[in-house]
Amino acid sequence: LVCAGLEKYGSEEQKIKYLTPLAKGEVIGAFCLSEPEAGSDATSQRTTAIDMGDHYLVNGTKNWITNGGTASTYLVIAQTDAAKGHKGINVLIVEKGMPGFEVGPKEKKMGIRGSDTHTLLFNDVKVPKENRIGADGFGFAFAMSTLNGGRIGIASQALGIAQGAYELALKYSQERVAFGKPIFNHQAIAFKLADMHVKITCARLLIHKAATEKDNGEDIAHSGAMAKLYASEIALEVANEAVQIHGGNGYVSEYHVERMMRDSKITQIYEGTSEIQRIVISRGLVK
């Protein structure tokens, strides 16, 4: 989200200063949109960026921020002119260490524990005007455009979880013997694996379609939402079935599928919930 947004919309100066070290892997970035009162309703930004002439004064709270603790570069979506609604929102580049910027404790999450998630606090953070990306009021459009592409990434993450869970389940079904034969040879298990394989294949094709359209410069709001919705839904289904195929072993950490089941759930929530994806898809039907 951070690199793609800077690459597409950042100025040359911003790309040199921020995107280059990000692309080299020297630093990590964080995309800061969600707030306690602004999750799916991204227009309800409470974090403010008051125009002070040569700089903005940022105050507010962001939560559920991926890489919140490890990042050095933060893209912060904030309200500058509430009277303009979503057209009064800007996106600012904030650096770790700026006075008044504080990283809260790491969240204790059900899944994706290898990814640090934090609340961020802004108390009169002075951000130079040159750190604004795009024209005044471009922040909301920036966020929505960037998320459209990011949803293909989350769909791919969901696909990877599903593929991994399926492969572990398939392997286990050929090794585990019950009633005198490997459980794969029992139709109840074989049919589960067949359904898992079909769903994974469908998800992969949807993702490839959306990614191809993105590479071709097409509008991917519709295809990206479809890919993200379907891949995230089947990731949880496939991981759940993988646990079932493992039986009691699937419920313990040694066999990994329980972690995949926990990890899969977040793909239905972040970067747009499944409910939001259905809104995007349904609106696209009548355009």
Side-chain angles (χ1 to χ4, degrees), residues 30 32 58-62 65 67-69 71-76 93-104 118-127:
C32 310
V58 180
N59 284 279
T61 303
K62 295 290 181 181
I65 304 304
N67 299 332
S72 298
T73 302
Y74 300 79
L75 301 189
V76 179
I93 305 171
V94 176
E95 300 174 28
K96 180 175 281 185
M98 284 183 169
F101 175 37
E102 180 184 349
V103 177
H118 295 256
T119 292
L120 307 179
L121 308 171
F122 303 88
N123 184 19
D124 285 342
V125 181
K126 187 177 179 180
V127 182

Side-chain angles (χ1 to χ4, degrees), residues 149-186:
R151 284 167 182 164
I152 299 175
I154 301 302
S156 302
Q157 178 190 25
L159 175 64
I161 294 170
Q163 181 72 38
Y166 163 76
E167 289 175 2
L168 287 174
L170 179 62
K171 182 174 183 291
Y172 184 83
S173 74
Q174 295 168 301
E175 297 171 348
R176 171 70 169 175
V177 174
F179 302 102
K181 56 185 176 181
I183 61 173
F184 180 81
N185 292 332
H186 295 287

Side-chain angles (χ1 to χ4, degrees), residues 40 140 144 147-148 151 219-229 271-287:
S40 294
F140 184 75
M144 294 302 102
L147 285 170
N148 282 340
R151 284 167 182 164
D219 183 356
I220 56 166
H222 194 75
S223 61
M226 287 197 296
K228 202 267 191 188
L229 172 66
E271 292 196 36
T273 62
S274 292
E275 291 74 20
I276 289 294
Q277 304 314 314
R278 287 183 169 92
I279 290 173
V280 172
I281 295 165
S282 61
R283 287 176 178 171
L285 300 179
V286 293
K287 282 187 178 179

Side-chain angles (χ1 to χ4, degrees), residues 39-91:
S40 294
D41 183 7
T43 60
S44 298
Q45 296 292 306
R46 300 288 181 87
T47 298
T48 58
I50 304 304
D51 191 339
M52 304 298 288
D54 64 342
H55 68 276
Y56 289 96
L57 207 58
V58 180
N59 284 279
T61 303
K62 295 290 181 181
N63 65 346
W64 314 122
I65 304 304
T66 301
N67 299 332
T70 53
S72 298
T73 302
Y74 300 79
L75 301 189
V76 179
I77 314 299
Q79 186 78 56
T80 298
D81 188 345
K84 293 182 180 179
H86 71 278
K87 294 183 179 179
I89 294 173
N90 280 309
V91 54

